[in-house]
Amino acid sequence: QVQLEESGGGLVQAGGSLRLSCAASGRSFSDYRMGWFRQTPGNEREFIAHISRNGGNTDYADSVKGRFTISRDNAENTMYLQMNSLKPEDTGVYYCAAGLPSLYRTSGEYLYWGQGTQVTVSS
C-alpha cells in the first residue's frame, strides 16, 4: 500500500511556472514507476509524464514536452513536476500515480493515486 499526496498547485498567469510535489508514504517508494496525469471537467485523466523507478527514464505527452520536467527523489519519497511556460490549456486537476504499469500512458494501469491538486492558468 502506498499513500500519495500532491501539493504545489495554484493560480498562475500564462507564461508562469509551478512546481508540483507528490509525497509518498507506506511501501517503498522506489519500487514503483510513477506518473502524472491531468483531468478537466467531463474528460478522462490524460497522461502528462512518466518516470521509471530509478529516475533514469522519463516520457512526456507531446503537449508538455519541452515545458514540463518530471523528477523524483527516492531518498525523500517524493516526485516532482516542474511546469514552465504554462498555458491556459494546462489548467486542470493534476494527479500523481504509482504502480508497475505495462502501458504507462494508461491511467488504469496504475495502482495508487493521490487526491489531486488544482492548477489554473489564466490568460
Side-chain angles (χ1 to χ4, degrees), residues 52-120:
S52 61
R53 287 179 288 181
N54 66 3
N57 290 295
T58 59
D59 191 27
Y60 300 89
D62 287 344
S63 61
V64 306
K65 200 170 293 184
R67 300 187 298 121
F68 290 12
T69 302
I70 189 172
S71 62
R72 67 190 295 167
D73 184 339
N74 287 344
E76 295 294 329
N77 291 342
T78 305
M79 176 179 67
Y80 304 97
L81 185 68
Q82 178 67 44
M83 305 188 294
N84 298 329
S85 303
L86 282 161
K87 304 175 181 180
E89 51 263 44
D90 294 321
T91 294
V93 178
Y94 282 71
Y95 296 89
C96 65
L100 295 171
S102 297
L103 302 172
Y104 57 73
R105 289 175 175 246
T106 303
S107 60
E109 294 273 324
Y110 289 81
L111 297 173
Y112 306 107
W113 291 86
Q115 293 298 311
T117 185
Q118 175 71 44
V119 171
T120 303

Side-chain angles (χ1 to χ4, degrees), residues 26-45:
R27 277 197 62 180
S28 180
F29 177 68
S30 60
D31 286 347
Y32 296 100
R33 302 167 76 174
M34 301 292 295
W36 285 101
F37 287 77
R38 177 174 67 208
Q39 190 168 26
T40 53
N43 295 307
E44 295 184 355
R45 292 179 186 182

